[in-house]
Amino acid sequence: GITIESSYYIHGEYDWMILFTAQNLRDAKKFSTMLIENYPNIIIKVNLMQILYSQRSHHIRSPSPQELFDFL
């Protein structure tokens, strides 16, 4: 149930970022655990984050920016 949307080699505290979708948080956690188990000498730590709201995606502005204020 995981779909990798994009992958980035980045500079900073982490070296790589994978943006993916999952059916639920349980599947996302299983995926992150699987990465560490399958690549133990390459992947040391995974930080799992969830996108709550996107103001702009693929250069397209959200048609309902008021939703962010309603969410907060």
Side-chain angles (χ1 to χ4, degrees):
I2 300 294
T3 302
I4 296 177
E5 298 289 331
S6 54
S7 177
Y8 304 95
Y9 181 61
I10 59 176
H11 175 74
E13 183 177 350
Y14 294 92
D15 294 326
W16 208 270
M17 180 174 77
I18 300 172
L19 182 63
F20 65 91
T21 59
Q23 294 293 324
N24 52 48
L25 187 56
R26 183 182 313 162
D27 289 345
K29 287 182 179 182
K30 283 181 187 178
F31 179 67
S32 64
T33 301
M34 182 271 312
L35 287 173
I36 293 172
E37 290 173 353
N38 287 339
Y39 305 99
N41 296 324
I42 298 170
I43 299 177
I44 307 295
K45 180 180 175 185
V46 171
N47 190 355
L48 189 61
M49 296 183 210
Q50 182 179 10
I51 296 173
L52 300 176
Y53 177 84
S54 177
Q55 181 70 15
R56 183 181 300 256
S57 181
H58 302 289
H59 304 286
I60 299 172
R61 188 170 167 77
S62 173
S64 305
Q66 183 61 34
E67 288 180 19
L68 178 60
F69 296 111
D70 295 342
F71 176 75
L72 297 174

